[in-house]
Amino acid sequence: MSVYLPRDKAGNAKTRYFQYDFRLKPKGASKSERFFGSTGQTNVRGAERVETRLKELAKLGQLSHTMTVAEACESYWDQKMQYARSAKDQATNLEVISTFLGPETLLVDVTPAMVAEAAAKRARTPVRKYNRRTGKVELTTLKPTPATVNRQLVQPLRRLLKYARRTLKVPVDLGEFE
């Protein structure tokens, strides 16, 4: 089986979660693809069961690593957020996620370091305010508070990643995010 614990140069485990890595040709594909990521399991037997399930999904073509942040945001909006009470705010939050993480970034490549960098960028970006006199949205000299950054980027991203893992079956490693 291709289940392993990633190790650093000194031989120490980098994480307590087992990783999977395999190649196979999905149904309807012309070439074989590489599938890899975290199993979310801390023991070998559980990790092997997860890998077996993932191989079955990959053979049927239901497991894909090619979903981008923009595609995940669009799917999340279409299936869930457009019906929320705060749909306008949620649309803004999904736009912030897509802008600061990069719309072409693969969802499985999102790391805590990328999220921290995006949050720092958002914290340095001026706040946009609606001017009632001119009827236009204008940039101000104010910077968003840390709470605003968390409400617009961090918390919605956490919900998006959970949605992608549970509903869209994208193998996102939620264990590496605190």
Side-chain angles (χ1 to χ4, degrees):
M1 288 271 168
S2 51
V3 173
Y4 63 94
L5 269 178
R7 302 199 179 270
D8 59 10
K9 292 181 181 180
N12 301 323
K14 288 183 181 178
T15 177
R16 59 189 200 134
Y17 298 105
F18 281 84
Q19 307 288 312
Y20 67 91
D21 190 353
F22 60 87
R23 292 186 69 88
L24 59 83
K25 182 178 169 185
K27 181 180 178 182
S30 58
K31 298 188 312 185
S32 67
E33 292 182 32
R34 179 179 178 214
F35 298 93
F36 59 95
S38 174
T39 60
Q41 300 292 319
T42 56
N43 61 27
V44 178
R45 299 239 188 242
E48 288 173 348
R49 284 193 301 270
V50 169
E51 183 198 28
T52 303
R53 193 181 93 246
L54 291 172
K55 279 185 178 180
E56 291 170 2
L57 288 172
K59 284 179 189 174
L60 297 173
Q62 295 177 352
L63 181 64
S64 176
H65 292 279
T66 58
M67 180 169 277
T68 63
V69 170
E71 291 170 347
C73 286
E74 188 174 327
S75 174
Y76 190 49
W77 171 258
D78 288 341
Q79 295 181 12
K80 197 161 186 176
M81 286 294 109
Q82 70 179 345
Y83 306 111
R85 278 188 184 170
S86 58
K88 188 175 177 183
D89 294 335
Q90 297 303 326
T92 303
N93 295 345
L94 293 174
E95 181 183 327
V96 166
I97 290 170
S98 184
T99 301
F100 288 100
L101 281 179
E104 297 302 316
T105 304
L106 293 178
L107 206 56
V108 295
D109 292 342
V110 175
T111 62
M114 287 176 67
V115 174
E117 184 180 324
K121 269 195 241 178
R122 175 65 184 115
R124 292 189 304 265
T125 305
V127 175
R128 296 181 298 173
K129 294 272 183 173
Y130 178 74
N131 188 336
R132 284 189 266 170
R133 287 185 221 149
T134 62
K136 296 181 181 177
V137 176
E138 300 172 350
L139 289 177
T140 65
T141 58
L142 300 173
K143 304 289 188 229
T145 64
T148 301
V149 173
N150 285 341
R151 279 193 302 268
Q152 286 186 342
L153 182 75
V154 178
Q155 292 170 352
L157 179 62
R158 183 179 298 126
R159 288 192 300 266
L160 175 69
L161 292 175
K162 285 181 181 178
Y163 167 80
R165 181 169 176 93
R166 291 180 183 151
T167 307
L168 302 176
K169 304 299 183 200
V170 177
V172 178
D173 185 13
L174 297 175
E176 70 180 299
F177 294 95
E178 292 181 10

